[in-house]
Amino acid sequence: MPTTTPPVTAPTGVGHLRGDESFPTAARRSLADPQLRRNLRHATTTIRAKSAGVIAEQSDWEQLRTAGAAIKADTLRRLPDLLEQLEEKVTGAGGVVHWAADAVEANRVVTDLVRATGADRVIKVKSMATQEIGLNEALEAAGITAVETDLAELIVQLGDDRPSHILVPAIHRNRAEIREIFLREMPGVDPALTDDPTALAAAARRFLRETFLSTPVAVSGANFAVAETGTLAVVESEGNGRMCLTLPETLITVMGVEKVVPTWRDLEVFLQLLPRASTGERMNPYTSMWTGVTPGDGPQTFHLVLLDNGRSAVLADEVGRQALRCIRCSACLNVCPVYERAGGHAYGSVYPGPIGAVLSPQLTGIEDNASLPYASTLCGACYDACPVKINIPELLVHLRAEAVESRPRPTAESIAMAAAAYTMDRPRLYAAGQRAARLSRLAGRRGRGLPPPLNGWTASRDLPEPPAQTFREWWAGR
């Protein structure tokens, strides 16, 4: 009987898909930080209100969501063919396409490409894919400096910090903290800098302008790639992306393979969905598109690195593959009660919040992120907010089942369930157990906990109080 090799997940030891500790452990530390909780509550409340306002203006929002989900589902069904079509079109337009099976290969490809130019510094557009693979660390190891040009990413980089939100990486920082980071780490900053947002943005602009004009290589991600023409698209709000995509001589784009869309008409749907669901804007302030190389205009050398890094493993799961529809809008983070209180760092992965809780365990394999599917109340707010209708609660339950199946047997839970089944199958033993349970009423609240090793279940909740009489006793006394 022929055997098939399962798709490979993202490798360990490289990139930022795995945390050093479980979600509950990291979340306890976040919950003890009142300033972090205030920052998160203020930011997510503001974004939610702004997004709800512009979505309410769109009378066909639900039809757009349905169209977005259908286009993504169709794309995933014929992903290999669309990627080959994209490669043909990019190559035909003067670009070079590289295929990277994982983070190690992608980092090697990009590092070699930068070395070949002779540059020791690159400027970067905000990119989740390059954060996922740990590209900055790989470039640093090769003696190449990567300068983040997105304001929030720059704050994170200067603060030697980690992103905590997909769209707003420094959402956990308030403006007073940002001022302190700039004064401490930004060369040439005015000592009289205030925490006024305009002044902070101006300081970052002055710092980055010389870098834009003197760096010959840029690295970007991509929000979308159109297979029918080989066109790449990046949307952003600050204009730094436009500078990175047009000024350097060499442009290297690292893109997850799921970002491809079949046609321009399909792209039209996502350019309506993304800004309203993410930043609460009617359209993105900057939408940059390019197709290969144009002589005399923009970068004269273009490389596209198509990244797998576990995505084939996600695609192979018929239930789990819907996570690949994600367009990184972060709408699910902004409505999630767990994210709002625990913050992004607690998830350990570069993808926090509800989408991270279903995407990261699939990219790495459930064993490496087994606690993340439990980082949810299953309230369903993420499903309602998702512009491409990813059923995140369904995925969480699906992954919880995988996490349970992956545990070594026997577990305390499986022993308890086996004991319960044995007892319920024997009426006399079951009745004796009911009488014993009623004795716990005499012990009051302190008696309503389970003994080890089951005490974890009652660490934060009480057992239901046993009834005064059983159903059989009630029935017999009628």
Side-chain angles (χ1 to χ4, degrees):
M1 184 175 181
T3 59
T4 56
T5 303
V8 177
T9 53
T12 58
V14 60
H16 300 288
L17 289 173
R18 300 167 174 86
D20 298 327
E21 53 194 356
S22 69
F23 178 83
T25 302
R28 283 192 195 96
R29 189 167 49 256
S30 301
L31 291 171
D33 185 343
Q35 183 62 57
L36 172 67
R37 295 180 62 177
R38 279 194 292 272
N39 295 348
L40 288 169
R41 183 168 57 252
H42 173 72
T44 55
T45 301
T46 302
I47 296 173
R48 277 201 306 268
K50 193 176 176 186
S51 180
V54 294
I55 286 175
E57 299 172 352
Q58 193 85 19
S59 60
D60 61 347
W61 180 251
E62 281 307 310
Q63 289 86 344
L64 279 172
R65 290 180 71 207
T66 301
I71 292 168
K72 282 289 186 178
D74 171 61
T75 299
L76 294 175
R77 274 193 293 270
R78 51 194 183 103
L79 188 58
D81 293 338
L82 290 171
L83 289 173
E84 289 182 2
Q85 183 183 9
L86 176 67
E87 179 184 29
E88 177 188 345
K89 294 299 181 181
V90 170
T91 304
V96 181
V97 176
H98 309 261
W99 297 80
D102 56 29
V104 175
E105 186 171 8
N107 286 334
R108 179 182 56 75
V109 168
V110 176
T111 302
D112 289 348
L113 290 172
V114 177
R115 279 178 171 154
T117 68
D120 60 2
R121 184 173 67 182
V122 301
I123 49 176
K124 287 187 64 196
V125 187
K126 181 179 180 299
S127 159
M128 297 303 297
T130 60
Q131 291 175 20
E132 173 189 324
I133 62 177
L135 179 62
N136 285 11
E137 291 83 350
L139 291 173
E140 183 180 8
I144 300 166
T145 302
V147 180
E148 298 286 354
T149 63
D150 174 85
L151 177 56
E153 289 288 359
L154 178 64
I155 294 166
V156 169
Q157 185 177 43
L158 291 176
D160 194 22
D161 201 353
R162 291 180 295 131
S164 65
H165 190 280
I166 291 175
L167 184 68
V168 194
I171 196 172
H172 55 290
R173 297 287 194 186
N174 61 35
R175 58 189 190 182
E177 292 173 313
I178 295 169
R179 171 181 175 273
E180 292 302 316
I181 292 172
F182 280 12
L183 289 174
R184 188 174 66 246
E185 302 292 341
M186 185 177 284
V189 70
D190 183 354
L193 179 69
T194 70
D195 63 4
D196 177 69
T198 303
L200 294 172
R205 186 182 300 116
R206 283 191 293 273
F207 172 70
L208 289 173
R209 186 162 298 276
E210 186 277 335
T211 308
F212 281 130
L213 296 173
S214 59
T215 306
V217 182
V219 177
S220 82
N223 293 98
F224 307 101
V226 182
E228 73 173 355
T229 60
T231 302
L232 280 293
V234 166
V235 298
E236 39 109 13
S237 301
E238 300 171 9
N240 65 298
R242 179 69 57 82
M243 302 279 273
C244 290
L245 298 169
T246 55
L247 290 176
E249 298 166 8
T250 299
L251 173 60
I252 304 168
T253 298
V254 182
M255 186 191 86
V257 292
E258 79 280 15
K259 295 297 184 69
V260 66
V261 296
T263 68
W264 273 91
R265 290 300 303 270
D266 299 322
L267 182 62
E268 167 190 323
V269 173
F270 298 108
L271 291 183
Q272 295 177 75
L273 286 170
L274 183 55
R276 291 175 189 266
S278 58
T279 54
E281 295 169 303
R282 297 181 180 88
M283 63 181 292
N284 290 102
Y286 294 89
T287 300
S288 300
M289 299 184 187
W290 70 100
T291 306
V293 174
T294 301
D297 184 13
Q300 296 303 291
T301 304
F302 170 56
H303 297 272
L304 173 61
V305 182
L306 294 172
L307 175 70
D308 188 314
N309 205 37
R311 286 161 175 78
S312 291
V314 184
L315 188 64
D317 186 328
E318 292 188 3
V319 178
R321 68 169 57 173
Q322 59 181 306
L324 294 179
R325 292 185 206 161
C326 179
I327 57 175
R328 308 290 190 266
C329 70
S330 72
C332 60
L333 279 68
N334 300 328
V335 299
C336 177
V338 175
Y339 175 85
E340 184 176 311
R341 287 155 181 81
H345 292 160
Y347 294 80
S349 166
V350 70
Y351 300 113
I355 188 61
V358 297
L359 183 58
S360 302
Q362 295 193 85
L363 291 174
T364 63
I366 190 68
E367 295 84 0
D368 288 358
N369 272 308
S371 66
L372 289 186
Y374 297 90
S376 169
T377 63
L378 299 180
C379 69
C382 49
Y383 186 22
D384 293 338
C386 179
V388 289
K389 295 189 173 181
I390 300 173
N391 192 338
I392 293 177
E394 178 188 43
L395 286 178
L396 289 166
V397 173
H398 175 68
L399 292 170
R400 289 180 186 187
E402 283 193 12
V404 170
E405 292 299 323
S406 69
R407 294 173 189 164
R409 292 291 191 276
T411 63
E413 185 179 16
S414 67
I415 293 172
M417 290 297 107
Y422 181 87
T423 303
M424 291 179 181
D425 200 34
R426 291 161 177 79
R428 289 185 178 179
L429 185 59
Y430 183 62
Q434 288 179 311
R435 288 193 295 274
R438 284 208 294 270
L439 292 177
S440 68
R441 293 166 59 88
L442 302 176
R445 184 180 182 83
R446 289 173 61 85
R448 277 182 265 138
L450 290 171
L454 304 177
N455 55 338
W457 196 87
T458 52
S460 58
R461 59 172 79 85
D462 288 333
L463 283 174
E465 185 172 345
Q469 61 180 171
T470 66
F471 173 79
R472 289 174 184 273
E473 290 168 343
W474 172 81
W475 184 263
R478 287 173 66 241

